[in-house]
Amino acid sequence: MIARPPVTPELPPFALPRCLEARLDNGLEVLAVPDDRLPLVHLRLGFPAGTKFDPPGLRGLSETTAFLLTQGTAHRSAREIAERVAELGASLAAHSGADSLVLEGNVLSENFDAFLELVADVTRNPIFPEEEIALRKQNRKQELLAQRSLADFLAQEKTAELVFGPHPYARQEPTPESIDRLDRPAIAGFAERHLAPAGSVLVLVGDLPPFDELLDRLNRYLGDWSRSPAPTGEAVSPPPPARSITLVDRPGSVQVDLRIGRLAVTRTDPDYFPLLLATTVLGGGASSRLFTDIREKRGYAYDAHSALTAYREAGIVEVVTQIRNEVLADALAALLEHMERIGREPVSTEELETARNYLCGVFVIRLETLHGLASQLAATRLLGLQLDYLEQYMSRVRAPDAGQLQAAAARYLDPGNAVIVAVGDAARVGHALEHFGPVQYEKAP
């Protein structure tokens, strides 16, 4: 008797919970989703102020500004902010990514008004104390030292550098030298230029007061906040995709951290969903081709996957794995063949349906919590998308057929136009890489 997996029923269409929208007179967009199942409120205040806005030579400026928002204001010290957060039964922190800087937190709904006052204080009145800057710089350099001891971090960093070229997406992590150059005028100036209400979005999800009352409170704490957003800089385009092989020499490594990447699409591109499906068939999850072949069948690696990352201005598609030194040549040949094949031959009906179900299931799971829903709403707006993008996501995942998937894969997964980055012991694996073309050798930090 042959065992067959159960048939996965099609998920019902996703309906976005009732989302109330408004815009304050200062331009701040407000999205509120009432949900009184728990006495909690999740807040996300997002600014178009990510690492792509770091000036040349000051990599790490956005992330440092984000961290220091909660480390002292004109009215509270870092300790007083931490104590107030604890008193309210809340959490509050900020972080930055490629496109945006986000202040986020949770609070008991009974303390929402006091929490909103605190959020307004750290957003509008940060003073960036010198002692907190010095401490953050010291700690960040230690964190960076730990990161750069990891082969996968070096591979990711080098791949982004080669794929995005002169575009700021190529330089999302600081360097020890750029951290040293950060000072209070630079940090305060970044906040003054980029943390403005116009063009930003405030998302509130949870046990909220009535919407009119909520807007009154927002106007009380944020309504007179007036600041002009920074002018948009000159657009810089990533280079056209081209084949290259780079080996970052890390003597003593017993395996090779391997990435194959190339420039891809944004979420507004017609190829986005076909390519997302192709990437999922190729290496998304335990049913994917890379997982079942590279790991399960051949035993070359514990993990082998592919991923599509879409920023606001460009995207990157990557194949990622860690390979034992002695099988690098065979494993790389197999990876390149998988990438070429998915653009050469139509995927099966079963593979296509499995990928659709996987993406739809993951999407729904991400929206189950207050945090997840708020995160998706904020990201959608900061990426320049309309809210109906979320409601249409599942239908767009299910729309492309095998032919559209194959065409997108042929355009964006062609290994002939991909960068290959390996981090490993050059003395042990350099000759294997050279079978695939000229190799550029670099030393690990």
Side-chain angles (χ1 to χ4, degrees):
M1 181 177 179
I2 300 177
R4 296 184 182 277
V7 176
T8 303
E10 185 170 321
L11 292 171
F14 171 74
L16 189 68
R18 184 168 63 106
C19 184
L20 306 173
E21 303 177 57
R23 191 177 300 274
L24 303 188
D25 290 343
N26 58 14
L28 178 65
E29 182 179 6
V30 178
L31 304 176
V33 180
D35 184 342
D36 60 3
R37 291 176 296 174
L38 294 172
L40 295 171
V41 175
H42 184 83
L43 175 149
R44 290 180 79 86
L45 178 54
F47 302 92
T51 60
K52 71 182 182 185
F53 296 103
D54 288 348
L58 289 179
R59 288 163 60 175
L61 182 57
S62 173
E63 70 165 44
T64 303
T65 303
F67 182 88
L68 292 170
L69 284 178
T70 57
Q71 303 305 305
T73 74
H75 308 110
R76 295 177 170 95
S77 66
R79 179 172 181 173
E80 288 170 333
I81 292 171
E83 289 175 346
R84 186 58 171 157
V85 169
E87 288 172 1
L88 297 175
S91 65
L92 184 64
H95 56 85
S96 77
D99 291 304
S100 58
L101 185 156
V102 175
L103 179 69
E104 67 172 319
N106 295 286
V107 68
L108 294 170
S109 52
E110 65 187 59
N111 296 327
F112 174 66
D113 193 74
F115 183 67
L116 195 57
E117 184 274 328
L118 179 62
V119 168
D121 188 27
V122 302
T123 303
R124 301 180 61 175
N125 307 307
I127 58 172
F128 308 110
E130 294 285 2
E131 64 274 17
E132 298 295 342
I133 294 173
L135 179 60
R136 179 54 190 162
K137 289 171 63 174
Q138 176 184 338
N139 290 342
R140 185 64 181 99
K141 287 171 72 174
Q142 292 301 311
E143 292 170 3
L144 186 62
L145 188 65
Q147 286 177 307
R148 293 201 160 179
S149 70
L150 303 175
D152 62 338
F153 178 85
L154 298 178
Q156 180 182 19
E157 188 177 49
K158 177 55 64 174
T159 303
E161 176 187 320
L162 294 173
V163 168
F164 292 117
H167 195 283
Y169 290 153
R171 300 170 296 280
Q172 296 185 36
E173 300 292 341
T175 64
E177 295 77 19
S178 70
I179 293 172
D180 283 337
R181 286 191 287 268
L182 299 177
D183 57 17
R184 188 177 182 280
I187 295 166
F190 185 91
E192 182 69 25
R193 289 190 304 274
H194 294 287
L195 304 191
S200 303
V201 60
L202 174 63
V203 179
L204 297 161
V205 181
D207 188 14
L208 299 168
F211 196 50
D212 287 346
E213 182 181 336
L214 174 63
L215 292 179
D216 286 342
R217 295 187 189 184
L218 294 177
N219 276 308
R220 184 191 319 158
Y221 296 117
L222 298 170
D224 62 346
W225 175 30
S226 178
R227 183 181 293 165
S228 299
T232 303
E234 184 178 351
V236 179
S237 298
R243 177 70 170 267
S244 68
I245 304 174
T246 302
L247 175 55
V248 180
D249 185 19
R250 191 169 178 264
S253 292
V254 297
Q255 68 177 14
V256 180
D257 276 72
L258 189 64
R259 285 181 180 253
I260 308 169
R262 64 149 286 174
L263 192 68
V265 296
T266 66
R267 290 176 185 258
T268 58
D269 192 288
D271 274 334
Y272 176 75
F273 283 98
L275 182 57
L276 181 62
L277 282 164
T279 307
T280 304
V281 171
L282 178 65
S287 298
S288 69
R289 293 179 178 184
L290 295 184
F291 190 93
T292 56
D293 183 36
I294 302 300
R295 172 186 155 132
E296 297 297 300
K297 181 180 177 181
R298 304 184 193 231
Y300 288 158
Y302 179 77
D303 172 58
H305 68 271
S306 56
L308 172 62
T309 304
Y311 302 118
R312 180 157 183 159
E313 297 171 20
I316 182 172
V317 62
E318 298 173 274
V319 167
V320 182
T321 189
Q322 299 80 37
I323 300 294
R324 304 194 315 276
N325 288 343
E326 59 271 20
V327 297
L328 173 60
D330 290 340
L332 180 53
L335 292 170
L336 296 176
E337 165 60 21
H338 277 295
M339 294 177 68
E340 192 272 337
R341 178 186 160 214
I342 199 168
R344 185 183 72 233
E345 303 171 359
V347 302
S348 68
T349 301
E350 181 180 356
E351 284 181 309
L352 180 55
E353 194 59 27
T354 297
R356 288 168 173 167
N357 289 337
Y358 175 80
L359 289 171
C360 289
V362 169
F363 172 75
V364 171
I365 289 172
R366 286 175 179 163
L367 293 168
E368 283 186 336
T369 64
L370 303 184
H371 174 276
L373 179 57
S375 175
Q376 290 295 315
L377 287 170
T380 296
R381 298 304 295 128
L382 289 167
L383 286 170
L385 303 169
Q386 299 302 312
L387 292 184
D388 63 3
Y389 175 86
L390 295 176
E391 291 200 318
Q392 296 174 8
Y393 181 91
M394 290 172 60
S395 62
R396 290 180 176 178
V397 164
R398 296 196 174 279
D401 59 24
Q404 292 169 304
L405 184 154
Q406 181 185 347
R411 281 191 286 271
Y412 297 100
L413 288 170
D414 174 14
N417 287 320
V419 302
I420 299 172
V421 173
V423 179
D425 189 334
R428 299 183 64 183
V429 301
H431 64 285
L433 275 183
E434 288 172 358
H435 288 299
F436 298 90
V439 177
Q440 176 70 39
Y441 288 85
E442 298 185 7
K443 283 288 186 181

